[in-house]
Amino acid sequence: MKTMNPRNIEMCDYDYELPEERIAKYPHANRNESNLLVWRNGKMEKKHFFDLPAEIPAGAMMVFNNTKVIQARLHFRKETGGGVEVFCLEPESPRDYAQNFASTGECMWTCLVGNSKKWKEGPLSLSLNPSPKGKGGEGATRVRFSCERAGETGATQKIRFRWETNDGSKVSFAQILDTIGELPIPPYLNRETEENDKKTYQTVYSKTKGSVAAPTAGLHFTEKELAALEEKGVSLQYLTLHVGAGTFRPVKSKTIEGHDMHTEFISVPREVIANVLAQVKKGGMIVAVGTTSVRTLESLYYIGNKTKANIQARAEDLIVGQWEPYDGTWNLSPEEALESILDYLDSHAMSHLVTATQILIAPGFRYRLVKGMVTNFHTPQSTLLLLVSAFVDGADVEGPRWREIYRFAMDNGFRFLSYGDSSLLIP
């Protein structure tokens, strides 16, 4: 079934006035005391996030993104005094995130380089003390760490990192990032990263390192809400999408057709896919926590179609393209698509589905799996706002209900963007 093609959507139709004072520069002192806008069947209420478990029906399933934000900004200083920032975006060699973080001498990343004009030639280097366990504590090991250019691709550069220790001990790239890296916070906060951000800009269930931005809808959860949901009989499932810097890239084109969506790594355990399938089969509600969980879940449908067509497909062949949901003919039911992925994983003896997605969700998109959504309030004229509109306004673009929701939030003192308040959306 083909759906409406959104290419001609004009971004000016998804604009709204966002005063600077409504952008939350810092999180609420207590995560779960942030405001929660509950939108159900067109009706809205203002509540607190600690009320969320009462709003989720027993037997529902909630799906979380367990990615962990890495300290991706590395600061080097040339002998002449000029500073150069290397911002790690995604691993190049080894490509696998876990293998790259475990590297103990050399690795390569795709990066953004700040003040690159000051880096004319040669490597940049610095020394550090990661204090690895078992080496006598502070001062036991010194690391000479350097980086050099290894090629350019548009706005990004491939950067090769090399390091060695004074005592022959093994130090991983993850240890280096944890020692000298700076946690990246959203550029629209217009402030420097502070020590407390290392805790507040991570979800309490973050686990798998790789993101350069947090899945911010999950920042509101505490262990208390998670426990209350489980006690109520809500199934909690975890998958991984590593959020890239592209999530902050504004749409500069007049229509969405001129915008290239960023591609992001996803990993979904076989067990989670099987549990999602069981939930779909019994007609249960699936609530995605954050737009990253939404994009991953909805990508599964198209990945299932691809595995059905080619059981021997490679991971790169399964990547969901930006326009594929609108250009292709997709005949499988959600159940058939999920079953196809399980067959694919079993035939390859794989415990996780590992690939990437570039999916663009905009009005005209047909949601296959997600029936409820927890999400923050997004920037004007953004792809995230298009995703919300596609959900609350439906594939037939009946809206714009998103404007009613955002007007309610603005009129009732909600705070916006990454550290702001959140909403529970159930059509």
CSV table of all heavy atoms in Angstrom, one decimal, residues 27-37 46-52 219-222 224-225 413-415 419-422:
chain,number,residue,atom,x,y,z
A,27,PRO,N,17.9,21.0,33.7
A,27,PRO,CA,16.8,20.1,34.0
A,27,PRO,C,16.1,20.5,35.3
A,27,PRO,O,16.7,21.2,36.1
A,27,PRO,CB,17.4,18.7,34.1
A,27,PRO,CG,18.8,19.0,34.6
A,27,PRO,CD,19.2,20.3,33.9
A,28,HIS,N,14.9,19.9,35.5
A,28,HIS,CA,14.3,20.1,36.8
A,28,HIS,C,15.1,19.4,37.9
A,28,HIS,O,15.8,18.4,37.6
A,28,HIS,CB,12.9,19.4,36.8
A,28,HIS,CG,12.0,19.9,37.8
A,28,HIS,ND1,12.1,19.4,39.1
A,28,HIS,CD2,10.9,20.7,37.8
A,28,HIS,CE1,11.1,20.0,39.9
A,28,HIS,NE2,10.4,20.8,39.1
A,29,ALA,N,15.1,20.0,39.1
A,29,ALA,CA,15.9,19.4,40.2
A,29,ALA,C,15.7,18.0,40.4
A,29,ALA,O,16.6,17.2,40.7
A,29,ALA,CB,15.7,20.3,41.4
A,30,ASN,N,14.4,17.6,40.3
A,30,ASN,CA,14.0,16.2,40.4
A,30,ASN,C,13.4,15.7,39.1
A,30,ASN,O,12.4,16.3,38.7
A,30,ASN,CB,13.0,15.9,41.6
A,30,ASN,CG,13.6,16.3,42.9
A,30,ASN,OD1,14.7,15.9,43.3
A,30,ASN,ND2,12.9,17.2,43.7
A,31,ARG,N,14.0,14.7,38.5
A,31,ARG,CA,13.6,14.3,37.1
A,31,ARG,C,12.1,14.2,37.0
A,31,ARG,O,11.5,14.7,36.0
A,31,ARG,CB,14.3,13.0,36.7
A,31,ARG,CG,15.8,13.1,36.6
A,31,ARG,CD,16.3,11.7,36.3
A,31,ARG,NE,17.7,11.6,36.2
A,31,ARG,CZ,18.5,11.5,35.1
A,31,ARG,NH1,17.8,11.3,34.0
A,31,ARG,NH2,19.8,11.4,35.1
A,32,ASN,N,11.5,13.4,37.9
A,32,ASN,CA,10.1,13.0,37.7
A,32,ASN,C,9.1,14.1,38.2
A,32,ASN,O,7.9,13.9,38.1
A,32,ASN,CB,9.8,11.7,38.4
A,32,ASN,CG,10.0,11.8,40.0
A,32,ASN,OD1,10.4,12.8,40.5
A,32,ASN,ND2,9.7,10.7,40.6
A,33,GLU,N,9.6,15.2,38.6
A,33,GLU,CA,8.7,16.3,39.0
A,33,GLU,C,8.5,17.3,37.8
A,33,GLU,O,7.8,18.4,38.0
A,33,GLU,CB,9.2,17.1,40.2
A,33,GLU,CG,9.1,16.2,41.5
A,33,GLU,CD,9.6,16.9,42.7
A,33,GLU,OE1,9.9,18.1,42.6
A,33,GLU,OE2,9.6,16.2,43.8
A,34,SER,N,9.1,17.0,36.7
A,34,SER,CA,8.8,17.8,35.5
A,34,SER,C,7.3,17.7,35.1
A,34,SER,O,6.6,16.8,35.5
A,34,SER,CB,9.7,17.4,34.3
A,34,SER,OG,9.5,16.0,34.1
A,35,ASN,N,6.9,18.6,34.3
A,35,ASN,CA,5.5,18.6,33.8
A,35,ASN,C,5.3,17.5,32.8
A,35,ASN,O,6.2,17.2,32.0
A,35,ASN,CB,5.1,20.0,33.3
A,35,ASN,CG,5.0,21.0,34.4
A,35,ASN,OD1,4.5,20.7,35.5
A,35,ASN,ND2,5.4,22.3,34.1
A,36,LEU,N,4.1,17.0,32.7
A,36,LEU,CA,3.7,16.0,31.7
A,36,LEU,C,2.3,16.4,31.1
A,36,LEU,O,1.3,16.6,31.8
A,36,LEU,CB,3.5,14.6,32.4
A,36,LEU,CG,3.0,13.5,31.5
A,36,LEU,CD1,4.0,13.2,30.4
A,36,LEU,CD2,2.6,12.3,32.3
A,37,LEU,N,2.3,16.6,29.8
A,37,LEU,CA,1.1,16.9,29.1
A,37,LEU,C,0.5,15.6,28.6
A,37,LEU,O,1.2,14.9,27.9
A,37,LEU,CB,1.4,17.9,27.9
A,37,LEU,CG,0.2,18.4,27.2
A,37,LEU,CD1,0.6,19.7,26.4
A,37,LEU,CD2,-0.4,17.4,26.2
A,46,LYS,N,-2.8,18.8,32.2
A,46,LYS,CA,-1.4,19.0,32.7
A,46,LYS,C,-1.2,18.2,34.0
A,46,LYS,O,-2.0,18.3,34.9
A,46,LYS,CB,-1.3,20.5,33.0
A,46,LYS,CG,0.1,20.9,33.5
A,46,LYS,CD,0.3,22.4,33.8
A,46,LYS,CE,1.7,22.7,34.3
A,46,LYS,NZ,1.8,24.1,34.6
A,47,LYS,N,-0.2,17.4,34.0
A,47,LYS,CA,0.1,16.6,35.2
A,47,LYS,C,1.6,16.6,35.4
A,47,LYS,O,2.3,17.4,34.8
A,47,LYS,CB,-0.3,15.1,34.9
A,47,LYS,CG,-1.8,15.0,34.7
A,47,LYS,CD,-2.3,13.6,34.9
A,47,LYS,CE,-3.9,13.6,34.9
A,47,LYS,NZ,-4.4,12.2,35.3
A,48,HIS,N,2.1,15.8,36.3
A,48,HIS,CA,3.5,15.7,36.6
A,48,HIS,C,4.0,14.3,36.1
A,48,HIS,O,3.2,13.4,35.9
A,48,HIS,CB,3.8,15.8,38.1
A,48,HIS,CG,3.7,17.2,38.6
A,48,HIS,ND1,2.5,17.6,39.3
A,48,HIS,CD2,4.5,18.3,38.5
A,48,HIS,CE1,2.6,18.9,39.6
A,48,HIS,NE2,3.8,19.3,39.2
A,49,PHE,N,5.3,14.2,35.8
A,49,PHE,CA,5.8,13.0,35.2
A,49,PHE,C,5.6,11.8,36.1
A,49,PHE,O,5.4,10.7,35.7
A,49,PHE,CB,7.3,13.1,34.8
A,49,PHE,CG,7.7,12.1,33.8
A,49,PHE,CD1,7.4,12.2,32.5
A,49,PHE,CD2,8.3,10.9,34.2
A,49,PHE,CE1,7.7,11.2,31.6
A,49,PHE,CE2,8.6,9.9,33.4
A,49,PHE,CZ,8.3,10.1,32.0
A,50,PHE,N,5.6,12.0,37.4
A,50,PHE,CA,5.4,10.9,38.4
A,50,PHE,C,4.0,10.3,38.2
A,50,PHE,O,3.7,9.3,38.8
A,50,PHE,CB,5.8,11.3,39.8
A,50,PHE,CG,5.1,12.5,40.3
A,50,PHE,CD1,3.7,12.5,40.6
A,50,PHE,CD2,5.8,13.7,40.6
A,50,PHE,CE1,3.1,13.6,41.1
A,50,PHE,CE2,5.2,14.8,41.1
A,50,PHE,CZ,3.8,14.8,41.4
A,51,ASP,N,3.1,11.0,37.5
A,51,ASP,CA,1.8,10.5,37.3
A,51,ASP,C,1.8,9.5,36.1
A,51,ASP,O,0.7,8.9,35.8
A,51,ASP,CB,0.8,11.7,36.9
A,51,ASP,CG,0.6,12.6,38.1
A,51,ASP,OD1,0.4,12.1,39.2
A,51,ASP,OD2,0.6,13.8,37.9
A,52,LEU,N,2.9,9.4,35.4
A,52,LEU,CA,2.9,8.6,34.1
A,52,LEU,C,2.4,7.2,34.3
A,52,LEU,O,1.6,6.7,33.5
A,52,LEU,CB,4.3,8.7,33.5
A,52,LEU,CG,4.4,7.8,32.2
A,52,LEU,CD1,3.7,8.6,31.0
A,52,LEU,CD2,5.8,7.5,31.9
A,219,LEU,N,14.8,11.1,29.9
A,219,LEU,CA,15.5,11.8,31.0
A,219,LEU,C,14.6,12.0,32.2
A,219,LEU,O,15.1,12.3,33.3
A,219,LEU,CB,16.1,13.2,30.6
A,219,LEU,CG,17.2,13.1,29.5
A,219,LEU,CD1,17.6,14.6,29.2
A,219,LEU,CD2,18.4,12.3,30.0
A,220,HIS,N,13.3,11.9,32.0
A,220,HIS,CA,12.3,12.2,33.1
A,220,HIS,C,12.1,11.0,34.0
A,220,HIS,O,11.6,11.1,35.1
A,220,HIS,CB,11.0,12.6,32.5
A,220,HIS,CG,11.1,13.7,31.6
A,220,HIS,ND1,11.0,15.1,32.0
A,220,HIS,CD2,11.2,13.8,30.2
A,220,HIS,CE1,11.1,15.8,30.9
A,220,HIS,NE2,11.2,15.1,29.8
A,221,PHE,N,12.5,9.8,33.6
A,221,PHE,CA,12.2,8.6,34.3
A,221,PHE,C,13.2,8.5,35.5
A,221,PHE,O,14.4,8.8,35.4
A,221,PHE,CB,12.4,7.4,33.5
A,221,PHE,CG,11.2,7.1,32.5
A,221,PHE,CD1,11.2,7.7,31.3
A,221,PHE,CD2,10.2,6.3,32.9
A,221,PHE,CE1,10.1,7.5,30.4
A,221,PHE,CE2,9.1,6.1,32.1
A,221,PHE,CZ,9.0,6.7,30.8
A,222,THR,N,12.7,8.0,36.6
A,222,THR,CA,13.5,7.6,37.7
A,222,THR,C,13.2,6.1,38.0
A,222,THR,O,12.3,5.5,37.3
A,222,THR,CB,13.2,8.3,39.0
A,222,THR,OG1,11.9,7.9,39.5
A,222,THR,CG2,13.2,9.8,38.8
A,224,LYS,N,11.8,4.9,40.3
A,224,LYS,CA,10.4,4.8,40.9
A,224,LYS,C,9.4,4.5,39.8
A,224,LYS,O,8.5,3.7,40.0
A,224,LYS,CB,10.1,6.0,41.7
A,224,LYS,CG,8.7,6.0,42.3
A,224,LYS,CD,8.5,7.3,43.1
A,224,LYS,CE,7.1,7.3,43.8
A,224,LYS,NZ,6.9,8.6,44.6
A,225,GLU,N,9.4,5.3,38.7
A,225,GLU,CA,8.4,5.1,37.6
A,225,GLU,C,8.6,3.7,37.0
A,225,GLU,O,7.6,3.1,36.6
A,225,GLU,CB,8.6,6.2,36.6
A,225,GLU,CG,8.0,7.6,37.0
A,225,GLU,CD,8.9,8.2,38.0
A,225,GLU,OE1,10.1,8.3,37.8
A,225,GLU,OE2,8.3,8.7,39.0
A,413,GLY,N,2.7,26.9,30.8
A,413,GLY,CA,4.0,27.0,31.5
A,413,GLY,C,4.9,25.9,31.3
A,413,GLY,O,5.9,25.7,32.1
A,414,PHE,N,4.7,25.1,30.2
A,414,PHE,CA,5.7,24.0,30.0
A,414,PHE,C,7.0,24.5,29.5
A,414,PHE,O,7.1,25.5,28.8
A,414,PHE,CB,5.1,23.0,28.9
A,414,PHE,CG,4.0,22.1,29.5
A,414,PHE,CD1,2.7,22.5,29.8
A,414,PHE,CD2,4.3,20.7,29.7
A,414,PHE,CE1,1.8,21.7,30.3
A,414,PHE,CE2,3.3,19.9,30.2
A,414,PHE,CZ,2.1,20.4,30.5
A,415,ARG,N,8.1,23.8,29.8
A,415,ARG,CA,9.4,24.1,29.3
A,415,ARG,C,9.7,23.3,28.1
A,415,ARG,O,9.3,22.1,28.0
A,415,ARG,CB,10.4,24.0,30.4
A,415,ARG,CG,10.1,24.8,31.7
A,415,ARG,CD,11.3,24.8,32.6
A,415,ARG,NE,11.9,23.5,32.9
A,415,ARG,CZ,13.2,23.4,33.3
A,415,ARG,NH1,13.9,24.5,33.6
A,415,ARG,NH2,13.7,22.2,33.6
A,419,TYR,N,16.1,19.6,27.9
A,419,TYR,CA,15.9,19.6,29.3
A,419,TYR,C,14.5,20.1,29.8
A,419,TYR,O,14.3,20.3,31.0
A,419,TYR,CB,17.0,20.5,29.9
A,419,TYR,CG,18.3,19.8,30.3
A,419,TYR,CD1,19.5,20.5,30.2
A,419,TYR,CD2,18.3,18.5,30.7
A,419,TYR,CE1,20.7,19.8,30.6
A,419,TYR,CE2,19.5,17.8,31.0
A,419,TYR,CZ,20.7,18.5,31.0
A,419,TYR,OH,21.9,17.9,31.3
A,420,GLY,N,13.6,20.2,28.8
A,420,GLY,CA,12.3,20.7,29.2
A,420,GLY,C,11.3,19.6,29.6
A,420,GLY,O,11.7,18.5,30.0
A,421,ASP,N,10.0,19.9,29.6
A,421,ASP,CA,9.0,19.0,30.0
A,421,ASP,C,8.6,18.0,28.9
A,421,ASP,O,9.2,18.0,27.8
A,421,ASP,CB,7.8,19.8,30.4
A,421,ASP,CG,8.1,20.6,31.7
A,421,ASP,OD1,8.7,20.1,32.6
A,421,ASP,OD2,7.7,21.8,31.6
A,422,SER,N,7.7,17.1,29.2
A,422,SER,CA,7.4,16.1,28.2
A,422,SER,C,5.8,15.9,28.0
A,422,SER,O,5.0,16.6,28.7
A,422,SER,CB,7.9,14.7,28.7
A,422,SER,OG,7.3,14.3,29.9
